[in-house]
Amino acid sequence: MTGPLSGVRVIDLTTMVSGPLCTMTLADQGADVVKVESPGGGDYSRQVATRRGGFSASFLNNNRNKRSIVLDLKQTSAREVLRSMVREADVFIQNFRPGVAERMGLGHEALRAIEPRLVYVSIAGFGFDGPFADRPVFDPLVQALSGLTTIQGGSDDERPRLVRTILPDKLTAIQASQAICAALFARERQGQGQHVRLSMLDTLVAFLWRSDMGGHTFVGDELGAETAQSFIDLIYETADGYISVALMQDKHWRGFARVMDRPELLDDPRFLTPALRETNKDARTRLTQQILLPTRRDQVLALLEAADIPCAPVLTRTEMREHPQIVANGILEQWDHPVAGPLRQARQPARFSAHPAVPTRGAPALGEHTVEILSQAGLGSGEIDAMLASGAAQGPVAATPGAADA
C-alpha cells in the first residue's frame, strides 16, 4: 500500500466503533492494520443489522483496508503469538475495560518490555480512575454523563436529548488517530515509544468546552443553571422545505434585512450589535422564522446566496448523497466488495499531495488472514496447523447471512 503511514504496522484489538474507526483511519493512510478478533464471531459489529452477503454495514464502514486474524487469547499459545507479533509492530491499540489487558499479560508495561519503541494505546469509556471506570459503557451513557444531552435539550429545564449519532465514539476515534500520529512523530525524534491513554468521556467534555461551556469558564462566576437562549435552532421552515441560515456578522444581518425588504430590522434596538443579537437570540430567531415561513425554499436561498449570506438547504440522507457539492468534492466512492457486493462509502477526508490515495481493500472476513499473519510472525506450517487444531487460532470463516440479507 501507499500512503503517508506506509510501513507502519498496527496491532488492533479494538471492537465496535471508537477503536476500529481510529485504526481504519490509519489503514486508509497506508498503515498495515492487523485486526485481532476472538473466535465465536469476532468484533460484535459484524453481527448488527443492515447486512448483505453476511457483512454488516457497520463493520464494512469501520474496518476496510485491514487484515483479520482470529486468536483465542484465553490460550497461552495465542498470547505468545501476539507477543511475538509485537516485536514487529509500531502501534498496539486496545479498548478493553481498564485492567483487563494487564490481567491477560498484554498491558503496556509487558508489551513495551518486548518492544520499547512501541506506541501502546488504551481507549476507555469513562476513564481509567474514579467510580465509573470499571462500568460497561456505550455512547448514550457518555452523552448523558458529559452534559451533551442537556446541551442538546437547550436548557437545564428542558428534557435532555441525545444527539442521534454516536458522537463520542467517532470523536474519540479521530482524537485517537491524531494522538497515535503525534506519538509516532515523537518516537522519530526521541527514539522511544510511550503509552497513550484517552477516554470517550475525556474526549467529549473537551469537545464541548470549545463552544458550549462559556458559562463555566470563569472561575467564581459560573452560571447556576443554563437557560435557553433560543427556543428555535438555526433550522428554519419555509413554505416548501427547510433551510439553515447563519446571520452571524453585521454584514449578514444588514444583507438579510435588505434582501427580505425589512429595513426596520436595522433600527430595532434589540439587534443593533452582535452582542445584542446574541443576548436577544430567541427574539431574533423567532422573527427570522416569521420572515422566512411564507417564502419558497429555492427562491429564498437564491436571494440569500446572491447577498453572500451563509445558508444551505436542509437535506435528507438521500438528497445529501446526490447533492452537487457532495458530488463535486468526490466525498462518496463506489467499489465492489468481493462478498458484500457494490458498496458506497465516504473516502478519508484528508488528501495528501505527496501520497496517492490508498487502494481500497474491503473489510476482511473473520480470520481471513490468520494463516498469512501467523506465517509472517515466524510460525512454520506445523505450528500453524497445531494452533488451528487446538482452537488457539482460527482460519477464514465465511460471513453468516442474517435476516436482513434475505
Side-chain angles (χ1 to χ4, degrees), residues 104-172:
M104 297 170 66
L106 301 174
H108 77 280
E109 292 182 355
L111 297 192
R112 291 191 59 235
I114 297 171
E115 175 46 72
R117 285 172 51 84
L118 185 70
V119 172
Y120 187 106
V121 184
S122 302
I123 298 177
F126 291 126
F128 300 90
D129 301 292
F132 279 45
D134 292 331
R135 296 189 182 186
V137 60
F138 289 96
D139 194 279
L141 309 182
V142 179
Q143 291 198 36
L145 192 63
S146 68
L148 175 58
T149 52
T150 304
I151 292 170
Q152 190 69 7
S155 78
D156 291 355
D157 296 328
E158 296 294 317
R159 187 185 192 281
R161 297 180 181 275
L162 286 171
V163 175
R164 289 182 177 267
T165 185
I166 53 173
L167 192 65
D169 268 291
K170 291 185 281 189
L171 285 173
T172 302

Side-chain angles (χ1 to χ4, degrees), residues 371-394:
V371 173
E372 173 185 304
I373 295 168
L374 291 176
S375 178
Q376 289 178 346
L379 276 71
S381 58
E383 294 171 296
I384 293 174
D385 289 342
M387 288 197 69
L388 295 174
S390 70
Q394 182 176 287

Side-chain angles (χ1 to χ4, degrees), residues 88-237:
E88 303 298 326
D90 300 284
V91 179
F92 183 97
I93 179 170
Q94 52 86 9
N95 62 352
F96 298 126
R97 289 195 211 184
V100 171
E102 286 73 16
R103 290 194 293 272
M104 297 170 66
L106 301 174
H108 77 280
E109 292 182 355
L111 297 192
R112 291 191 59 235
I114 297 171
E115 175 46 72
R117 285 172 51 84
L118 185 70
V119 172
Y120 187 106
V121 184
S122 302
I123 298 177
F126 291 126
F128 300 90
D129 301 292
F132 279 45
D134 292 331
R135 296 189 182 186
V137 60
F138 289 96
D139 194 279
L141 309 182
V142 179
Q143 291 198 36
L145 192 63
S146 68
L148 175 58
T149 52
T150 304
I151 292 170
Q152 190 69 7
S155 78
D156 291 355
D157 296 328
E158 296 294 317
R159 187 185 192 281
R161 297 180 181 275
L162 286 171
V163 175
R164 289 182 177 267
T165 185
I166 53 173
L167 192 65
D169 268 291
K170 291 185 281 189
L171 285 173
T172 302
I174 295 168
Q175 186 71 62
S177 63
Q178 185 278 328
I180 289 169
C181 290
L184 288 171
F185 181 78
R187 190 183 72 171
E188 291 303 304
R189 292 290 182 90
Q190 300 164 7
Q192 62 183 16
Q194 60 183 295
H195 187 192
V196 178
R197 304 195 307 171
L198 72 161
S199 78
M200 293 166 64
L201 182 62
D202 292 358
T203 300
L204 193 56
V205 171
F207 174 79
L208 294 175
W209 217 276
R210 310 309 169 212
S211 62
D212 304 293
M213 301 299 291
H216 302 268
T217 295
F218 298 108
V219 177
D221 291 316
E222 297 88 351
L223 291 179
E226 298 283 352
T227 57
Q229 290 185 313
S230 172
F231 293 96
I232 300 175
D233 56 22
L234 298 182
I235 301 297
Y236 299 104
E237 185 178 1

Side-chain angles (χ1 to χ4, degrees), residues 1 32-33 63-67 335 359-363 369:
M1 284 189 175
D32 175 18
V33 176
N63 290 283
R64 69 183 172 218
N65 288 329
K66 302 179 186 180
R67 297 188 292 162
W335 55 281
T360 300
R361 184 175 65 216
H369 306 95

